[in-house]
Amino acid sequence: MPALYLFGKRTLLGGDDLQLPAVLTIGARIIQVVCLALPISLWLARDAAKNGESLFFFLITDPSHDATCTHSHYYPLFNGLHLLATLAFGIVSVFLELQIWHWSCQGTPTIREPRSSKVQLFLERKFSYLTIFLIGIVFLYITGIGFAQTYLVCHEEEDGANTLWIGTNAWWILSALLVFSQVAELVLISLFLARLILQQDDNNGDGVWNHSNSHQHRTESQELWTDRCHWMCKCLSISTCCLFGGQDLVENHNPAVSTSNIYQQVAIALAEYLETRGTLDVVPSDLITGLLMLQKLQEQRKLKAQIQVIRSSQQQRFTTLVVDDAPGIQMETQNGKKSLTRRVRTGNTPEPNSRSLAFSKRAASSGSLSASGSSSSSLHGLETSHLVPPTTMPQDPLRTNIYRRVSGLDTLHYAPRARQVLDPNNPIDQDLLQEGARMAKYALAIYTWMLYVFVHPISGFPNILCRSCKLCCSSKQSYRNRGSQNGSSSLLGGDEEFPTTIGDNLCHWHKSALLLVAQLDHTDLVYSQFENRFSLMPYCILLDHETKCIVISIRGSLSLEDLVTDALIDPESCQGLGEEFGFDAQGQYCHAGVVACVKNIYQDLQRHRLLDSLAEDFPDYGLRLVGHSLGAASATLLGYMLKSQYNDLKVYNFSPPGCSMTWELATQCSDWTTSFVLDSDIVPRLSVLALEELRDEVLQLVGNLKVPKHQVFESIFATCTAGECFGRASAEPEAADLEQNLIDMNRKISEMLNNEEPADTLYHRQLQEFLRIQEELKRSRGDSRTIRLYPPGRMIHLLKTGEDSGCSHAMMKCVTCCMSNSGFRYTPIYISNDDLNEIVVCPTMGTHHFVDRTYFELSNV
């Protein structure tokens, strides 16, 4: 920070971003000189010695007396000049890169001088003088190639065979590698300089942007992002042969919707969130550094909260319990016998302005959640109480707490919140987890062959091909032959054969993979719609005869069209849907993309009248709606629309978006909707407000750094101690150990961040201006972006509470850069819909969203 200016043009690099490029360039020069140019030079000297001449005379004299071989020595001469110039170029380049590396390590992100001016000077010399020098080097080699044939023919005629190194296969290979590396470098430099020349900047060259007309700037910025989104989708679609969709966005099959309208919402969101021209001059590496620092701060806050929890738990262990009339102990009668139940109290600080979603009291016969506020077991509040049998009360207090981000008077901190753990000995909790694992299998199945091959990279395609052959060879049967209780099917009058598949390829890959994952026969697939267009999600209808359920599984985001649907972040009113389908949606909103998808799915169901026909054929079967990610929010809203028609309806969501629907809609469905979230999954935490808070905190951390960015990276990666790499012990950590970890982390953070009031630098002035403009944008948008949206249903959080140790687990973490959650152990706990109020920065924030991981963990809980 700020961005470098080369030849008066802004780049995407900061003056403190060039340590790694400088080191890589030095390494490339060493390889060129030592591994390529030096062996060729030695061979050239040996050939001169074979002729009994010194290298100098071998290069400048023509040994042949034949007129046809005149000037044959030009080939080794130009090769020698090429090698000499390469050596000189390498020495000068290494010296220049060392200077760039040295000055790039100076200062801090906000203290730019003299770093920026020095780095700019050396880079301009590199891209001007050294580039011209490199062009001359390549020209020398090309000129020498013109005399190669004459030289080789003449030496073969004189010696009868070419016994020299010049012209051998090894010579040509090393020479070609050397020249190819030099030409490739010229191509990259030419592309970089061409981008600078064609770039149009609204700046005066000193890092201050011209933003006299803010409205015009926002309009131009939105148009720019519209073009960027269009070309990005087009390039990705063409480069992947439309493997991840894109046809509907590139070809625009719907003439009623223009391309600009498709990307309009995406462009507005990106322009307002990412575009900083006119206010703030940052580069991508600044944001990455801020995210790494935020990760450390989040770990620090969590350690403080964990120490608080352990201390509180240790104090409670010394409490004397009186069995008769002591507070906290109750005698409950069950089947005529008295049983002792302990009331567990936790001393959590109430969060201001937080909503309350209550648990119902859990006795042996009850484990469900209640949305009523009359329950004595509140998720929020100073004294949270649950009735837990003594034999099942958790021993580890860290397993019963989540940590909410709370804004204090001076700083942000985490406040522990006691939550109820699902008891594996409780039959209701056990059934809920088993049903969740079973439904997660169907949520995984609708992703068909792409995710199946991802999960089974070796056996995936062979299994799909075998299943496809079986489907082609097997006779078509209707689902009624498998379990219709009426003996006849009412679907489409019974005249058409089922299952019906729409949008599959000729090899039936989608259908084959779906049945492989779902572990069902093809006759249990009633209907499948695999077409994926804008606001049209793939889904299928399955029959689960074992549990007597009709399952509708809706796919989540996988294609480019889905990403555009995800970006429709403006909430849309559900009042019209509520009046049409008989649920209370007065003043309630939902994600606009979810509403569009659900309307298309409902119209498709009504067009074929599939559910009505299935209800007639299987009157005692329940209806289950299953979805992951975008499909999870769609399943919930579809459940609202179908609930009045189907009483035995339940919805199972996996990783629902955090910006799904408003509070009442998200909590009123808790009796029939269950959502599962895997630890640090980013999607259930996503919302406009959460992203804005993440952005503002990252930018603030960048301004508070007092060390160069490379020291931040070194410190972050140096914290991967042997204990962290080889797994943590599953035993309850002691408060003393956590305190020592906290002391070490406080020391490292204090070495990198300023604890005092930030100085009045150019960056801080730009940041204040940027925040002011953001506030103006919020006010100009009205209430649409300030409406808080939440994930729906009864929330079950699979909280990471352990990790395997050993070499295999350490190897997996190293290979995947700690992004794999293989070997982690999770504890299922009930949480509130507003508990996931912060985006947690960690390596697994993306992999925790994969539905195959959720299915695997639920199956092993």
Side-chain angles (χ1 to χ4, degrees):
M1 177 203 302
L4 276 175
Y5 288 85
L6 298 179
F7 310 106
K9 299 289 185 176
R10 185 180 189 270
T11 68
L12 294 179
L13 296 175
D16 48 358
D17 292 340
L18 301 175
Q19 297 91 352
L20 182 60
V23 172
L24 294 178
T25 303
I26 292 174
R29 296 291 178 260
I30 293 175
I31 293 175
Q32 286 179 341
V33 173
V34 177
C35 300
L36 299 177
L38 185 59
I40 297 175
S41 301
L42 293 176
W43 292 343
L44 197 61
R46 289 180 181 180
D47 286 354
K50 286 183 180 180
N51 289 340
E53 300 175 349
S54 65
L55 179 60
F56 178 75
F57 284 100
F58 177 74
L59 296 178
I60 66 172
T61 60
D62 188 359
S64 177
H65 300 289
D66 189 352
T68 59
C69 293
T70 304
H71 306 311
S72 63
H73 67 288
Y74 282 176
Y75 177 62
L77 174 62
F78 281 106
N79 267 276
L81 293 175
H82 172 258
L83 295 173
L84 182 63
T86 298
L87 178 61
F89 176 81
I91 294 174
V92 174
S93 177
V94 167
F95 174 78
L96 194 62
E97 295 297 337
L98 287 175
Q99 292 294 320
I100 293 174
W101 177 84
H102 169 74
W103 287 107
S104 184
C105 295
Q106 306 303 311
T108 67
T110 56
I111 302 177
R112 54 181 290 186
E113 294 299 340
R115 179 192 64 226
S116 294
S117 58
K118 292 289 186 180
V119 171
Q120 177 182 344
L121 174 64
F122 288 121
L123 282 179
E124 289 180 349
R125 290 178 178 178
K126 174 182 177 179
F127 290 123
S128 56
Y129 302 141
L130 279 188
T131 302
I132 296 174
F133 193 5
L134 186 59
I135 294 175
I137 293 174
V138 175
F139 180 76
L140 284 174
Y141 182 84
I142 296 175
T143 304
I145 288 295
F147 299 95
Q149 185 176 3
T150 303
Y151 176 82
L152 296 176
V153 170
C154 291
H155 277 274
E156 287 179 1
E157 291 178 354
E158 294 178 359
D159 303 334
N162 186 11
T163 60
L164 303 178
W165 278 103
I166 299 177
T168 60
N169 292 335
W171 170 278
W172 289 117
I173 290 175
L174 291 185
S175 298
L177 289 176
L178 177 59
V179 176
F180 176 79
S181 64
Q182 294 170 341
V183 172
E185 185 174 352
L186 280 177
V187 171
L188 293 177
I189 293 174
S190 300
L191 293 175
F192 178 75
L193 294 178
R195 180 185 177 277
L196 285 181
I197 295 173
L198 298 176
Q199 177 177 302
Q200 296 180 357
D201 287 339
D202 298 329
N203 68 87
N204 53 21
D206 60 355
V208 179
W209 293 86
N210 181 15
H211 52 280
S212 56
N213 192 336
S214 59
H215 176 74
Q216 180 182 357
H217 176 76
R218 288 198 299 269
T219 303
E220 293 176 353
S221 179
Q222 292 172 9
E223 294 176 354
L224 177 63
W225 277 108
T226 300
D227 294 337
R228 287 175 177 175
C229 292
H230 172 70
W231 284 107
M232 183 189 69
C233 291
K234 189 172 184 178
C235 292
L236 288 176
S237 179
I238 295 175
S239 61
T240 59
C241 298
C242 297
L243 185 64
F244 296 97
Q247 304 97 318
D248 202 34
L249 299 177
V250 175
E251 300 174 4
N252 193 15
H253 297 287
N254 188 358
V257 181
S258 64
T259 305
S260 59
N261 291 334
I262 292 177
Y263 298 113
Q264 184 178 9
Q265 293 292 334
V266 185
I268 292 175
L270 291 175
E272 294 180 354
Y273 186 80
L274 298 176
E275 186 61 48
T276 60
R277 291 187 175 183
T279 54
L280 195 62
D281 190 9
V282 293
V283 293
S285 62
D286 297 331
L287 303 180
I288 296 175
T289 306
L291 286 174
L292 292 176
M293 285 305 308
L294 180 58
Q295 178 184 353
K296 281 301 171 187
L297 284 180
Q298 289 177 343
E299 293 176 0
Q300 179 195 47
R301 297 165 187 167
K302 186 175 181 180
L303 274 176
K304 292 179 180 179
Q306 287 178 333
I307 294 173
Q308 177 184 347
V309 169
I310 291 180
R311 286 176 176 172
S312 176
S313 174
Q314 290 174 346
Q315 293 175 359
Q316 291 178 6
R317 292 175 184 175
F318 295 99
T319 303
T320 303
L321 300 178
V322 181
V323 175
D324 290 332
D325 296 323
I329 299 294
Q330 292 183 354
M331 300 296 295
E332 294 187 353
T333 302
Q334 297 180 0
N335 299 327
K337 298 181 180 180
K338 289 186 176 181
S339 61
L340 181 65
T341 304
R342 178 177 301 169
R343 185 180 298 277
V344 183
R345 303 173 71 88
T346 60
N348 292 330
T349 304
E351 181 179 356
N353 299 326
S354 63
R355 299 179 181 270
S356 176
L357 174 65
F359 278 120
S360 61
K361 294 182 180 180
R362 289 184 66 212
S365 61
S366 176
S368 61
L369 288 169
S370 173
S372 64
S374 60
S375 172
S376 64
S377 176
S378 175
L379 278 175
H380 302 294
L382 183 62
E383 297 180 347
T384 304
S385 304
H386 306 298
L387 290 177
V388 184
T391 57
T392 62
M393 187 175 64
Q395 299 297 320
D396 187 356
L398 300 183
R399 293 174 179 265
T400 63
N401 283 268
I402 56 98
Y403 306 96
R404 287 175 53 92
R405 181 176 185 266
V406 177
S407 299
L409 296 177
D410 299 324
T411 183
L412 297 172
H413 65 279
Y414 284 175
R417 293 289 184 265
R419 296 294 179 256
Q420 188 174 4
V421 179
L422 276 75
D423 186 0
N425 299 319
N426 186 301
I428 296 180
D429 288 349
Q430 186 178 17
D431 292 343
L432 181 60
L433 292 174
Q434 290 178 353
E435 186 74 3
R438 189 177 188 88
M439 294 299 119
K441 177 177 63 176
Y442 299 137
L444 174 62
I446 191 57
Y447 281 92
T448 65
W449 69 270
M450 294 187 66
L451 204 53
Y452 182 78
V453 173
F454 175 80
V455 177
H456 307 88
I458 298 177
S459 61
F461 272 120
N463 291 340
I464 291 175
L465 293 176
C466 292
R467 190 59 183 261
S468 299
C469 294
K470 292 181 180 179
L471 288 177
C472 294
C473 298
S474 63
S475 59
K476 296 183 178 180
Q477 303 180 44
S478 172
Y479 74 90
R480 60 177 176 269
N481 297 333
R482 292 273 301 175
S484 176
Q485 299 168 352
N486 299 336
S488 62
S489 172
S490 60
L491 273 176
L492 300 177
D495 297 332
E496 296 189 19
E497 294 182 336
F498 270 80
T500 298
T501 302
I502 300 176
D504 203 353
N505 52 39
L506 295 176
C507 300
H508 305 289
W509 283 6
H510 291 297
K511 179 179 177 182
S512 301
L514 189 153
L515 295 175
L516 281 172
V517 177
Q519 300 175 1
L520 296 176
D521 189 79
H522 72 280
T523 57
D524 295 328
L525 178 59
V526 179
Y527 178 76
S528 55
Q529 197 287 115
F530 298 120
E531 289 185 354
N532 189 193
R533 298 195 302 272
F534 181 65
S535 298
L536 179 61
M537 302 296 296
Y539 76 100
C540 67
I541 302 177
L542 303 167
L543 289 176
D544 188 339
H545 298 290
E546 183 177 346
T547 59
K548 291 189 174 182
C549 291
I550 302 169
V551 180
I552 299 179
S553 180
I554 306 174
R555 201 194 71 183
S557 301
L558 187 64
S559 67
L560 296 174
E561 287 85 354
D562 299 336
L563 295 180
V564 176
T565 303
D566 292 335
L568 301 178
I569 55 179
D570 285 338
E572 184 172 333
S573 176
C574 294
Q575 184 171 346
L577 291 177
E579 295 174 354
E580 180 179 357
F581 296 98
F583 63 92
D584 184 13
Q586 183 70 29
Q588 300 302 304
Y589 293 84
C590 185
H591 186 283
V594 172
V595 175
C597 291
V598 170
K599 288 181 178 179
N600 286 328
I601 293 176
Y602 183 79
Q603 290 174 2
D604 195 51
L605 291 173
Q606 292 298 106
R607 184 183 305 115
H608 300 292
R609 301 190 60 82
L610 297 173
L611 294 182
D612 294 339
S613 302
L614 287 172
E616 295 177 7
D617 294 333
F618 301 94
D620 60 341
Y621 276 39
L623 180 60
R624 301 291 181 266
L625 305 182
V626 179
H628 169 256
S629 189
L630 179 64
S634 302
T636 303
L637 187 57
L638 183 62
Y640 270 109
M641 298 166 66
L642 298 176
K643 183 63 178 175
S644 60
Q645 306 174 41
Y646 305 93
N647 293 327
D648 191 10
L649 180 147
K650 292 184 179 180
V651 178
Y652 290 90
N653 295 329
F654 304 93
S655 303
C659 52
S660 295
M661 51 192 65
T662 45
W663 180 262
E664 283 73 14
L665 283 180
T667 56
Q668 288 175 359
C669 60
S670 298
D671 293 337
W672 46 273
T673 299
T674 304
S675 296
F676 296 88
V677 176
L678 185 59
D679 199 52
S680 59
D681 186 354
I682 184 176
V683 173
R685 307 170 187 270
L686 279 179
S687 66
V688 175
L689 298 179
L691 286 172
E692 290 177 348
E693 291 173 353
L694 175 70
R695 177 200 61 201
D696 296 344
E697 191 168 4
V698 166
L699 292 176
Q700 188 67 42
L701 288 174
V702 172
N704 291 340
L705 283 175
K706 62 180 181 180
V707 296
K709 285 186 287 191
H710 74 92
Q711 292 188 16
V712 176
F713 284 89
E714 293 172 1
S715 176
I716 296 298
F717 292 115
T719 54
C720 296
T721 61
E724 290 176 338
C725 290
F726 288 89
R728 299 177 177 84
S730 59
E732 177 182 348
E734 297 292 338
D737 297 334
L738 294 179
E739 288 177 352
Q740 183 59 45
N741 293 339
L742 181 60
I743 292 174
D744 296 338
M745 186 169 293
N746 289 339
R747 176 180 54 81
K748 294 178 181 178
I749 292 177
S750 63
E751 292 174 353
M752 294 183 289
L753 286 180
N754 279 317
N755 296 325
E756 302 175 354
E757 190 72 18
D760 185 20
T761 62
L762 175 63
Y763 173 78
H764 288 95
R765 291 194 297 270
Q766 291 178 347
L767 179 58
Q768 294 302 318
E769 178 69 12
F770 172 77
L771 296 177
R772 184 189 65 80
I773 292 179
Q774 287 297 319
E775 289 297 326
E776 291 181 358
L777 288 175
K778 289 181 182 179
R779 290 193 294 268
S780 65
R781 290 193 299 258
D783 298 333
S784 61
R785 297 284 181 87
T786 61
I787 298 175
R788 285 189 174 270
L789 304 179
Y790 303 87
R794 169 177 47 180
M795 301 291 295
I796 296 179
H797 189 205
L798 299 179
L799 180 67
K800 178 190 172 185
T801 52
E803 184 176 342
D804 292 341
S805 60
C807 294
S808 60
H809 178 59
M811 182 64 67
M812 178 63 69
K813 293 183 68 175
C814 292
V815 170
T816 61
C817 298
C818 296
M819 289 189 293
S820 172
N821 66 337
S822 177
F824 292 178
R825 292 188 291 275
Y826 301 90
T827 299
I829 62 174
Y830 290 111
I831 63 173
S832 172
N833 299 71
D834 60 347
D835 277 340
L836 306 177
N837 64 342
E838 181 188 31
I839 296 176
V840 177
V841 181
C842 69
T844 57
M845 59 192 297
T847 53
H848 274 153
H849 184 63
F850 285 20
V851 66
D852 62 298
R853 298 307 309 169
T854 306
Y855 167 58
F856 177 80
E857 300 304 336
L858 281 174
S859 302
N860 291 277
V861 168

